[in-house]
Amino acid sequence: MENTQENSASQNPTPADDKARQAADAGNVNAGNSNAAQQPAEAADASAAPATADANEAEAALAEAQAKIAALQEEFLRAKAETENVRRRAQEDVSKAHKFAIENFAENLLPVLDSLEAALADSSTDLAKVREGVELTLRQLTGALEKGRVVPVNPVGEKFDPHRHQAISMVPAEQEANTVVAVLQKGYVIADRVLRPALVTVAAPK
């Protein structure tokens, strides 16, 4: 009889047992929820670390690129300024060359001018002395022209060259046809460029 009562008590739980079981179940649920919440947070922290590193690398690369761009811009501005200076100096040199190109030649002509003025101031009637002065002045003028690379063209006996000679007439002569027989007026060249062609007569064909 007593055993039957004990079995009935074990099969019919009391309110206290129910509360204990519910509390245990609630603890298990809370523990599960806590573990579930912790796992996404840890995953988020793990994924955030590489993203931060990538952002830092990108910022460093951007800063380096901006520094290179600034350096290149500065080099470009310097090169541009230097080019402008070179161009300006070249223009000044060309302008001076055009303006003073005849300076040396004019300086070489000044002694000739002095000699001519001295001859005009001389009242001597000695023709030999006058001739000597003229010859001296001519030598001075010839020297000035040679310093300016102006040389005479006196092509007697040369083949006629239409680029350097101007034929006045063709004359019978012992020379070969188209040979310069006589020079009526000397020509002049400057640095191989014809200033004035020589006036010549040319041997006619036989």
Side-chain angles (χ1 to χ4, degrees):
M1 189 66 150
E2 291 176 356
N3 292 335
T4 303
Q5 290 177 352
E6 289 177 358
N7 292 334
S8 298
S10 62
Q11 292 176 356
N12 296 319
T14 62
D17 293 336
D18 291 338
K19 290 181 179 180
R21 187 170 55 254
Q22 291 176 357
D25 293 339
N28 292 333
V29 171
N30 290 335
N33 291 337
S34 177
N35 292 333
Q38 186 177 1
Q39 290 176 355
E42 291 176 353
D45 292 340
S47 62
T52 303
D54 292 342
N56 292 336
E57 291 179 0
E59 290 179 357
L62 177 61
E64 183 179 358
Q66 289 175 341
K68 289 182 179 179
I69 291 173
L72 291 174
Q73 287 177 339
E74 184 177 357
E75 291 178 2
F76 169 75
L77 292 176
R78 289 180 179 177
K80 183 179 180 181
E82 181 62 23
T83 301
E84 288 295 327
N85 291 335
V86 171
R87 185 181 62 82
R88 187 182 68 254
R89 287 195 295 267
Q91 287 180 343
E92 291 176 354
D93 292 341
V94 171
S95 177
K96 289 179 181 178
H98 289 166
K99 187 175 182 180
F100 302 109
I102 201 172
E103 180 178 4
N104 291 335
F105 183 66
E107 184 179 358
N108 294 329
L109 286 178
L110 293 180
V112 180
L113 180 62
D114 294 337
S115 296
L116 291 174
E117 290 177 344
L120 290 175
D122 188 0
S123 58
S124 174
T125 57
D126 187 349
L127 294 180
K129 185 177 180 180
V130 172
R131 182 180 179 84
E132 182 181 355
V134 171
E135 290 175 350
L136 174 62
T137 303
L138 178 60
R139 286 196 297 271
Q140 288 178 327
L141 179 58
T142 302
L145 291 174
E146 289 177 351
K147 289 179 180 178
R149 297 188 299 173
V150 178
V151 295
V153 176
N154 191 13
V156 174
E158 298 179 4
K159 278 290 185 179
F160 176 75
D161 183 354
H163 300 292
R164 298 165 64 92
H165 311 147
Q166 182 176 347
I168 298 300
S169 61
M170 301 188 72
V171 296
E174 295 297 328
Q175 291 93 333
E176 186 179 352
N178 291 326
T179 300
V180 175
V181 176
V183 176
L184 305 179
Q185 184 183 70
K186 288 189 294 186
Y188 288 89
V189 296
I190 178 170
D192 295 329
R193 181 176 180 177
V194 177
L195 288 177
R196 185 182 74 184
L199 297 181
V200 298
T201 57
V202 180
K206 296 180 181 179

